[in-house]
Amino acid sequence: MKKLAKKVRKRYNKPIMTKPIILTGDRPTGKLHIGHYIGSLKNRVAMQNEGKYDTFIMMADQQALTDHAKEPEKIRESVGDVALDYLAVGLDPAKTTIFIQSQIPELAELSAYYMNLVSLNRVLRNPTVKTEIDQKNFGEGVPAGFAMYPISQAADITAFKATHVPVGNDQAPMIEQTREIVRAFNHAYNCEVLVEPEGIYPENEAAGRLPGLDGNAKMSKSLNNGIFLADDADTVQKKVMSMYTDPTHVNVADPGHIEGNMVFYYLDVFGRPEDATEIASMKEQYQAGGLGDVKTKRFLLEVLERELAPIRERRAEFAKDMGEVYNMLKKGSEYAESVAAQTLAVAKTAMGINYFG
Ligand code: TRP
């Protein structure tokens, strides 16, 4: 008997250790580009393969609809594209749960309860939401759903009890708002149901926000200044050859600038440690004069293709069977729903709205 009591103590007197949980996601509004890859996807794959975390990756189609309500077909198409991009870079459904936000109604239900714990003023003060509202010129007014999306994002994160949320720096206000909601909920219902997440931000500043091929601060589909993971080799070559370099570097013999020169920027970001010497000597030669843009671009193309060719190949392979891809998303969504449903049930119990036992 004593022995059993000891065993029981041993098992339950310490906190039950589960793996830390990662959740992150993307709005599916187009194919993913090399900025997404170097800024986040590559890191997600590394974390997945470390095996230290339970990993959830969500396609935030419902969030995408908050500013694309009238183009659902664009979002629908992007879900397939983004799924292929995920698989192509090495996200592995055997290790990571990949799922679609709209297929988990529990998330919307949790959001509805969270909305009562956040003031309207607080939501409208979110700096990322404010910037987006300024940029998006919502002609007919800001959709209420758009202004509320940080609350739904808090539901995404907390439904899975995520401890870590790897995101870009622009998402820091969402994490902060989620933490506030967690505290407000646990306090209001005198419980510890929800977990306060921590953001994980890009370590490498230059990779965190890759500028466009034209030198614009942002790589994006609408600016037509990106290289996409789905681009074929010819397209990548054409794009690299058209990159913004140094407008004052007219003749090969002229001294050139490397600051603000996208070719060198990308070389710094995509070069591997073994390329460092070569990159350093090219920079020296470029600044001294005597190194032409075509040569630097050819080298960058090699560096990029080393990374992109295998991704492109895998993408094409997965694209042959979209039925399987959607089956993977369905299975992932079913599993994700089972996890979110548990959190929701416990949350409703904490709120006392579990009427039927
Ligand atoms: N807002 C994120 C973006 O625009 C996408 C997103 C939705 C997300 N829900 C999330 C990211 C939950 C992390 C966690 O990129």
Side-chain angles (χ1 to χ4, degrees):
M1 279 309 259
K2 257 196 174 156
K3 244 183 164 174
L4 183 60
K6 200 173 158 193
K7 275 190 183 156
V8 168
R9 240 183 294 120
K10 201 169 163 197
R11 173 71 183 84
Y12 293 111
N13 278 6
K14 59 174 191 236
I16 297 171
M17 291 302 284
T18 48
K19 283 186 181 178
I21 297 168
I22 282 184
L23 177 126
T24 189
D26 305 283
R27 293 182 195 170
T29 55
K31 296 184 174 86
L32 300 181
H33 53 60
I34 60 172
H36 295 116
Y37 175 68
I38 203 72
S40 71
L41 296 172
K42 202 173 170 181
N43 187 39
R44 290 182 198 174
V45 173
M47 287 192 291
Q48 159 198 275
N49 292 338
E50 257 178 78
K52 238 173 58 190
Y53 302 97
D54 260 342
T55 316
F56 292 86
I57 308 275
M58 180 184 78
M59 285 194 231
D61 62 335
Q62 213 171 3
Q63 188 175 110
L65 285 164
T66 63
D67 66 333
H68 290 83
K70 293 178 184 153
E71 307 162 90
E73 56 306 315
K74 177 175 165 185
I75 307 303
R76 183 189 169 90
E77 191 186 312
S78 299
V79 164
D81 277 328
V82 172
L84 285 175
D85 290 331
Y86 283 170
L87 293 168
V89 299
L91 286 173
D92 175 357
K95 299 175 182 165
T96 294
T97 304
I98 303 174
F99 69 98
I100 308 176
Q101 186 185 29
S102 63
Q103 303 308 295
I104 322 295
E106 286 79 358
L107 298 177
E109 191 175 341
L110 264 182
S111 307
Y113 298 123
Y114 294 173
M115 285 197 198
N116 306 326
L117 299 170
V118 184
S119 74
L120 207 46
N121 282 334
R122 173 63 183 95
V123 185
L124 298 174
R125 247 191 355 252
N126 184 307
T128 299
V129 173
K130 271 167 106 174
T131 314
E132 284 175 304
I133 288 175
D134 286 344
Q135 287 168 348
K136 286 184 195 275
N137 355 286
F138 289 113
E140 296 157 28
V142 181
F146 183 83
M148 296 301 136
Y149 89 72
I151 302 180
S152 113
Q153 193 157 336
D156 304 335
I157 294 169
T158 53
F160 299 94
K161 295 188 162 37
T163 53
H164 296 85
V165 185
V167 279
N169 291 314
D170 65 319
Q171 296 293 302
M174 309 308 160
I175 308 295
E176 193 42 46
Q177 199 149 14
T178 301
R179 294 169 62 92
E180 286 175 31
I181 289 172
V182 168
R183 291 194 292 264
F185 187 97
N186 289 348
H187 182 76
Y189 306 114
N190 193 22
C191 64
E192 287 181 42
V193 171
L194 302 185
V195 176
E196 265 188 64
E198 252 172 68
I200 302 182
Y201 302 100
E203 277 170 31
N204 180 339
E205 192 64 31
R209 198 168 230 274
L210 190 73
L213 299 166
D214 55 359
N216 189 300
K218 199 179 161 192
M219 180 174 284
S220 87
K221 187 161 187 152
S222 50
L223 296 171
N224 194 22
N225 64 358
I227 294 178
F228 292 86
L229 298 176
D231 283 346
D232 60 37
D234 276 353
T235 306
V236 174
Q237 180 177 2
K238 282 201 191 89
K239 288 181 175 179
V240 168
M241 290 303 160
S242 77
M243 277 175 80
Y244 179 82
T245 57
D246 171 10
T248 69
H249 184 239
V250 182
N251 302 305
V252 173
D254 296 342
H257 296 88
I258 56 172
E259 307 79 28
N261 184 321
M262 288 305 109
V263 174
F264 286 104
Y265 192 107
Y266 283 28
L267 279 174
D268 283 338
V269 170
F270 290 93
R272 293 184 187 168
E274 66 263 30
D275 305 321
T277 349
E278 170 101 40
I279 294 174
S281 89
M282 285 183 105
K283 282 181 179 171
E284 219 172 281
Q285 219 189 327
Y286 194 82
Q287 286 171 306
L291 179 60
D293 282 334
V294 173
K295 270 203 180 142
T296 64
K297 287 175 172 175
R298 284 222 180 95
F299 183 57
L300 174 62
L301 185 60
E302 244 175 67
V303 166
L304 285 178
E305 277 297 305
R306 188 176 59 195
E307 204 91 24
L308 294 179
I311 292 175
R312 183 184 302 130
E313 232 165 81
R314 279 197 299 268
R315 199 180 190 286
E317 203 48 46
F318 285 116
K320 284 184 190 158
D321 193 348
M322 285 312 282
E324 257 317 299
V325 173
Y326 281 102
N327 189 45
M328 176 280 288
L329 293 174
K330 181 162 182 270
K331 288 282 183 295
S333 300
E334 283 165 3
Y335 176 70
E337 182 171 19
S338 73
V339 176
Q342 283 178 37
T343 306
L344 177 66
V346 180
K348 288 171 85 171
T349 302
M351 295 168 72
I353 50 172
N354 55 332
Y355 303 106
F356 310 121

